[in-house]
Structure formats: C-alpha cells, structure tokens
Amino acid sequence: MKKLTIILSLIILNSLISYSQNLKKDSRPNILFIMSDDHSYNAISAYNNHLIKTPNIDRIASEGMLFTNACVTNSICAPSRATILTGKHTHINGKIDNHMPFDTTQVTFPQLFQKAGYETAMFGKLHFGNSPKGVDDFMILPAQGDYINPDFITKKGDTTITGYVTDIITDLTINWLEKKRSKEKPFMMMYLHKAPHRPWWPSPEKFKEFSRKTFPEPATLFDDYKNRGTAAKTAEMNLLKHMTYSHDSKIRPETLADMEKVEPSIIEIKNGFYGPYGRANDEQRAKYEPILDSINDYFKANWPSMSDEEKMRWKYQRYMQDYLACISSVDDNIGRVLDYLEESGLAENTIVVYTSDQGFYIGEHGWFDKRFIYNESFKTPLMIRWPNIIKEGSTNNEMVQNLDFAQTFLEAAQIKAPDDMQGESLIPLLTGNNKKWTRDAVYYHYYEYPSVHMVKRHYGIVTKEYKLVHFYYDIDEWELYDRKKDPQEMNNVYNDSNYANLVKKLKMKLGKLRTKYKDSKELDQKYIEITK
C-alpha cells in the first residue's frame, strides 16, 4: 500500500511539473513582420531577377509561400500602414491620406496581441503617430526619418544614433530578440525599414558599388499614355520632368548654380540635398564625396548637350543605382535577422512575413512614386514562411490585400479578431485549403488629390482578369484594363463594345463591394469637403 502511494505521488508530481512547464511556455507561434517602404515587387529576384538579386528576401519565399497577386487598398504610405494595423479600409480608420489624422479610437492588432499575452515590439518606420499602441517596446523614426545618423522616438525620449538607418534598425531588432524580450512569452515583432523610400541615400559602400552599375530599362520607359485617360496624362511623376536634380539625382546645388541653364527646369525641394546629406559626419562624407564628385562632374560636362531621350536614360540609371543600392542593404540586413532566428532556435516556431507598404514605379510608364491602381503601385510583394505549416517553395495567385494581415496574424496566434475588421484571414491559403477562399475581387480607393504628384482621386475593382477604375473629383472618367491580354495596362478598353457587357457586370460588382466595405458617394463627398 505504501509503495502504491509513493507511485501515485510520483505520477501526480510529474503531472504537476509538466503542467507547470506548459503554463510557463506558451507554444503559440512568434510573428516577425518585416516591412520595407516603397519596395517594388519588380526589384525582388523572387519575382523578377532582371534588376537585382535579393537572396535573403528570397529565402522567405523559397522556404514558404510567394504571393503573386498581393495588393493594397490605397497605395500611399501612412494609409497603408493604418490599414495593416487595423484591418480596415482607410475611409473607416480615418487615415485616407498622409495628412488626415488617424482615428486613435481604432483598435490595432498589436493591442490585441499584447492583451492576449504576447510580448510586442516595433523598431523602424511607423510614419504616423509618436506613440504606437499595443507595443511593449519601441524605437521609431519621426515621420519619414533619415538614412544617415537617424533620430529615433523612444518611450524615454528622442535619441540620435550614428550610422546607416537600415543597419541600425536591424541592430535594434536583433538586440531586442536576443537580450530584451521575455523568453517565456511568444513575441510579435514589427521590423520596419525606411528604405527604399525617397530620397534614396544608400550606405557609402553600396553607393560606391551601385554607382558603377547599369540596369536594363523597362519597356514602357518612354510611354506616351495615348490610350489612357486624363489621370495618366496629367500625373506629375515623370523621371525627366519631375524627378529633381539635387534631392533625387545627387547633383549638388553648387553644381546647378555654376551651370547657366539646366533644362527641363524643375523646382527643387528646399534643403533637398543638404537636408539628408547634411547629417553625415566628416568620416562618412569622406566616403561619399568621391562618388558625388564623379556624378556631378559627369552631369556638368554632359547634360547641356544631351537630347531629352539621353537625359531620361541618365536619370533612370541614377535612380536605379540609388534605389537598388538601398534595397541591397535591406536584403543584407534581413539575412542577419534570419540567421539569428536559425542560430537561436527561434526559426522553427516563428512566422516570418515580408512585404512593403505598397508597390512603386521604377521607370515603368516613365514614372517614379506610386498612388495609382495600376499594377506597379497597386501590387505589393508578399511572402510568408511558417515552418511545418506552409509548404516550402509554394506560390499563390489569389487576390489578397494588406487588409488581410491583421486577421491572419490573429488567427495564427489563436486570438479572436474583432467583428468590425474587414479583411479575411489568409490561413486557408497558407495551409493549402484554397477551396475555402471565396474572394474573387478586391476594392481600392485613393484620395490624396490635389497634392504632390497630382494623381487624381479614384476607386476601383480588380479581379485576376480585369480592372475597372473610376476617376472622380475634377473629372468623371472610367477605365477598364484586360489584365490577361494587356498586362502592362497600356490600353483602356472601357469604350470598346466587345467589353460592354463586362463593364455592366463589373460596375454592379463594384457597387456591391462599396456597400460591403461601407464606402459611398456620400463618404466620397465628405472627404472632398474636409480635405479642401
């Protein structure tokens, strides 16, 4: 009897120890959300390797799932981030453009993670608000932030860190993962890069490397927009006519002053060159100056005699050299974080997401920037790795949006999503249950007009096959693109009689989507009035 009592006692003790250990260790997955700013999917080799190789970003795709039809609800920085945080369209969360205030009563998904026992952190670029909600620890850039010796907002006040912003954000991220987080809790980390946002200042090493490279031109670099509407013809984002010499192409103001006349005449951004570059210390300047000398000497000697076509090509190369150099640093640093996850044993139970806040024009249609519903700005890179859940090397072409991120993360973490979120969890797609995915169209709405780049207000519906767009405010124009026959979106077929029945169907479907997402003509007018 005594022996039996001892055995039972040992069984109970082991059960209690096991139960205690399970209480201490939360087995829910960690989430590492990596986002860059203005990263074109055409500048990621997992999508297209004609410009740059991004082996570390590609690792996430090769070890997880690559989405080929991921897109945004509103292609501009702060509104996109507000949509990601809330799982709601911008007309609901209030952040319709970069100027309108975010509705701070909105619940963000980090708050829900924090409440559910996750440890949360955010390092890098938030873009709006100085005190992110729902994060236990943060160091964020004020507004757009700086590439060189950036300032950071922290819970303890502002601080400046010497170095290159992409390296620093990564240092902060790895330091938190290694030394600051609780080892007993799962984590939700937002690792947010400033790069490759304009103005593109690479690290000195990448600046030297990439300034010697030449890149292939996009087929539509010299687009004349003849088969498009007013919006494409009047947008102010042409490389030749609107990309500035100092702020963008690294021509010193002194160089321009020494030249009699520089055509085309472009209004320079105040402190556009020395605002960012003035932050460099003497040691950093010593590394930048030889490359800047080379660029400026060439420009001064050759620009006056160049044809417009030659000038366009020169500007494109200068743009790509700096833009892609910034991306190369992002890729290197993502590799550092992925390596840390592997070495620390965290990789096995960590969902890793890579995306951008939207797409970006890198010379397609002669443009830079974003804003349009057209593919290059509407589509965004998205890849997700989740060991033992997502099949390695898989690809998905369903219509998914940044609207869906919050609900996806919440479901993965076994946290109930609020009923007023408007996205759909991607878990069925991640686990191979594509039949459970019922969405066949997405809704888009852009508001920031009149404003920089002068892209007109528009909303639209996009399916895998077609894109129907309504431009409004100071015009009333419709456009329709056949995405299969015309992937570069060069021909508006809205008035083509062969598409007449399709237009009717898509308009009806667009109306249903506007109702579903609680958008309307009345709301359009409200935002017109309050943004005048």
Side-chain angles (χ1 to χ4, degrees):
M1 187 69 183
K2 188 176 180 181
K3 190 174 181 181
L4 180 60
T5 303
I6 292 171
I7 292 170
L8 287 171
S9 298
L10 287 172
I11 291 171
I12 292 168
L13 180 62
N14 285 332
S15 298
L16 288 171
I17 290 170
S18 177
Y19 178 68
S20 176
Q21 287 174 340
N22 287 335
L23 281 178
K24 285 183 181 178
K25 183 163 179 159
D26 192 328
S27 61
R28 290 177 297 174
N30 306 307
I31 294 175
L32 176 64
F33 179 72
I34 310 171
M35 184 166 70
S36 54
D37 195 310
D38 292 345
H39 192 173
S40 167
Y41 62 92
N42 280 322
I44 296 176
S45 48
Y47 288 98
N48 193 331
N49 64 5
H50 73 299
L51 287 174
I52 188 174
K53 293 194 183 304
T54 51
N56 295 297
I57 296 173
D58 293 358
R59 276 168 65 184
I60 302 170
S62 64
E63 296 169 1
M65 181 175 287
L66 179 76
F67 287 85
T68 60
N69 258 324
C71 60
V72 297
T73 65
N74 184 356
S75 184
I76 187 167
C77 297
S80 176
R81 292 159 191 268
T83 290
I84 289 168
L85 287 169
T86 62
K88 299 175 188 176
H89 278 273
T90 51
H91 62 269
I92 300 294
N93 64 47
K95 197 68 183 160
I96 61 164
D97 58 29
N98 279 338
H99 311 292
M100 283 288 289
F102 174 65
D103 177 2
T104 56
T105 66
Q106 295 287 325
V107 174
T108 65
F109 80 80
Q111 288 176 279
L112 299 172
F113 270 85
Q114 189 181 54
K115 187 177 179 182
Y118 269 72
E119 190 162 15
T120 57
M122 179 186 291
F123 294 101
K125 181 177 178 180
L126 174 61
H127 189 81
F128 67 93
N130 291 345
S131 183
K133 294 161 54 169
V135 290
D136 299 309
D137 196 4
F138 67 86
M139 291 184 71
I140 58 171
L141 300 165
Q144 294 289 2
D146 289 288
Y147 280 101
I148 303 170
N149 304 332
D151 298 325
F152 283 89
I153 299 166
T154 77
K155 285 187 174 182
K156 297 179 180 178
D158 295 356
T159 187
T160 302
I161 302 177
T162 301
Y164 186 65
V165 68
T166 308
D167 301 332
I168 293 168
I169 292 169
T170 304
D171 292 342
L172 296 172
T173 297
I174 293 175
N175 181 65
W176 186 86
L177 289 170
E178 186 175 14
K179 298 177 180 177
K180 298 179 73 176
R181 69 182 178 88
S182 167
K183 302 301 190 288
E184 278 71 50
K185 291 182 177 182
F187 65 80
M188 193 290 295
M189 155 71 78
M190 301 189 77
Y191 165 44
L192 310 174
H193 283 292
K194 169 185 170 59
H197 193 280
R198 182 189 188 202
W200 309 280
W201 277 93
S203 68
E205 297 76 19
K206 297 290 185 182
F207 193 35
K208 181 178 180 180
E209 177 189 352
F210 277 75
S211 66
R212 298 170 178 172
K213 293 177 182 281
T214 301
F215 299 95
E217 297 171 357
T220 59
L221 181 63
F222 293 96
D223 192 349
D224 61 7
Y225 322 114
K226 69 177 182 179
N227 294 320
R228 261 63 49 78
T230 304
K233 293 181 175 73
T234 58
E236 297 178 0
M237 56 173 71
N238 181 268
L239 295 179
L240 178 61
K241 298 175 183 176
H242 305 114
M243 182 172 274
T244 61
Y245 300 111
S246 290
H247 185 66
D248 297 310
S249 299
K250 308 294 185 295
I251 304 304
R252 297 185 183 104
E254 298 91 333
T255 302
L256 294 174
D258 286 345
M259 299 171 71
E260 288 186 7
K261 196 172 184 181
V262 177
E263 295 290 348
S265 178
I266 300 170
I267 298 174
E268 287 293 333
I269 294 171
K270 186 178 180 182
N271 297 321
F273 183 85
Y274 286 113
Y277 186 53
R279 302 183 65 85
N281 58 36
D282 290 343
E283 182 181 352
Q284 292 163 334
R285 282 177 178 248
K287 295 176 181 178
Y288 279 112
E289 285 296 315
I291 302 100
L292 289 170
D293 287 344
S294 175
I295 293 167
N296 279 260
D297 291 347
Y298 183 91
F299 182 84
K300 190 172 183 178
N302 293 279
W303 188 263
S305 62
M306 286 182 179
S307 67
D308 281 353
E309 183 177 311
E310 290 171 327
K311 289 176 179 179
M312 182 73 153
R313 290 199 155 105
W314 184 88
K315 272 195 161 183
Y316 169 75
Q317 294 299 331
R318 270 280 51 248
Y319 173 28
M320 285 301 92
Q321 288 164 359
D322 292 346
Y323 180 85
L324 296 173
C326 290
I327 288 171
S328 183
S329 286
V330 170
D331 187 71
D332 288 348
N333 279 279
I334 287 173
R336 290 174 57 203
V337 174
L338 295 179
D339 287 346
Y340 174 78
L341 292 179
E342 296 290 344
E343 292 160 7
S344 64
L346 288 170
E348 191 67 16
N349 195 36
T350 300
I351 299 171
V352 179
V353 180
Y354 183 77
T355 191
S356 174
D357 51 356
Q358 64 265 318
F360 209 69
Y361 290 101
I362 47 176
E364 301 95 348
H365 306 290
W367 287 336
F368 64 103
D369 207 72
K370 56 255 183 179
R371 301 166 195 265
F372 275 115
I373 196 173
Y374 305 140
N375 273 350
E376 290 83 2
S377 55
F378 166 72
K379 289 177 66 174
T380 191
L382 176 63
M383 52 200 74
I384 304 176
R385 184 182 79 180
W386 190 356
N388 304 313
I389 301 296
I390 296 176
K391 182 181 177 183
E392 291 189 7
S394 53
T395 301
N396 192 283
N397 71 344
E398 295 297 333
M399 299 296 300
V400 304
Q401 286 190 296
N402 56 353
L403 185 71
D404 304 322
F405 294 169
Q407 278 157 284
T408 303
F409 302 154
L410 290 168
E411 182 174 346
Q414 301 163 44
I415 303 169
K416 187 180 184 305
D419 292 336
D420 61 349
M421 280 188 172
Q422 295 181 306
E424 296 181 34
S425 170
L426 303 179
I427 297 296
L429 301 180
L430 299 179
T431 55
N433 295 318
N434 287 21
K435 290 182 180 179
K436 291 186 177 180
W437 186 259
T438 58
R439 179 195 288 156
D440 61 356
V442 296
Y443 180 62
Y444 180 91
H445 199 152
Y446 173 79
Y447 299 85
E448 194 171 296
Y449 176 87
S451 187
V452 62
H453 298 303
M454 298 301 283
V455 172
K456 295 187 182 295
R457 299 186 188 214
H458 59 287
Y459 58 84
I461 180 174
V462 185
T463 70
K464 291 178 185 177
E465 295 82 17
Y466 302 103
K467 182 177 293 182
L468 179 70
V469 194
H470 181 214
F471 291 92
Y472 69 100
Y473 182 74
D474 58 346
I475 60 171
D476 182 9
E477 293 182 8
W478 288 84
E479 295 180 5
L480 174 69
Y481 294 94
D482 188 323
R483 300 184 74 200
K484 298 293 186 182
K485 293 181 180 179
D486 179 25
Q488 293 180 328
E489 299 172 324
M490 300 289 283
N491 297 294
N492 172 20
V493 293
Y494 178 78
N495 292 315
D496 186 329
S497 59
N498 293 317
Y499 291 89
N501 288 334
L502 176 67
V503 166
K504 291 178 183 177
K505 291 177 182 178
L506 286 176
K507 280 190 174 181
M508 287 180 62
K509 197 162 189 173
L510 174 59
K512 289 178 180 177
L513 279 184
R514 277 171 61 86
T515 299
K516 175 182 176 179
Y517 293 122
K518 301 178 181 178
D519 204 1
S520 63
K521 288 183 179 179
E522 292 74 24
L523 205 50
D524 296 346
Q525 189 58 41
K526 171 191 170 184
Y527 281 125
I528 286 171
E529 293 299 323
I530 62 179
T531 54
K532 275 184 179 178

